[in-house]
Amino acid sequence: MKTSKTFSLQIENIVQEKNLTHMEAVLWYCSKEGIDPDTVGSLLTKGLKGKIEANARELNFLPRQAQLPI
């Protein structure tokens, strides 16, 4: 099994190469490698989890949070 750092780097490469969201990239990687998506939870880094959460909020899968204006 891979380390969380190498897994995150692979997911970032997939996002760039295939123009997918992080969530889609994880699912694409799992289907390509024949891995159950439920088993990769321990490989997600904090940064990757944050990006997946942001993608989910943009797609209205999660409720939006209040943001301070910048």
Side-chain angles (χ1 to χ4, degrees):
M1 200 51 136
K2 300 184 179 300
T3 66
S4 58
K5 185 169 183 159
T6 58
F7 179 76
S8 292
L9 289 173
Q10 283 189 322
I11 296 303
E12 290 293 339
N13 288 335
I14 293 168
V15 167
Q16 294 299 317
E17 291 173 5
K18 304 215 177 283
N19 197 22
L20 300 172
T21 65
H22 290 84
M23 185 179 352
E24 292 169 333
V26 170
L27 294 173
W28 183 87
Y29 177 82
C30 289
S31 68
K32 179 183 151 227
E33 296 294 322
I35 301 170
D36 185 19
D38 291 336
T39 62
V40 296
S42 62
L43 295 175
L44 299 177
T45 61
K46 186 175 181 180
L48 188 55
K49 284 180 186 178
K51 291 176 182 179
I52 290 172
E53 183 178 339
N55 291 151
R57 288 193 194 288
E58 288 174 10
L59 296 170
N60 293 324
F61 292 153
L62 295 173
R64 295 204 183 265
Q65 290 180 331
Q67 296 179 347
L68 296 174
I70 297 178

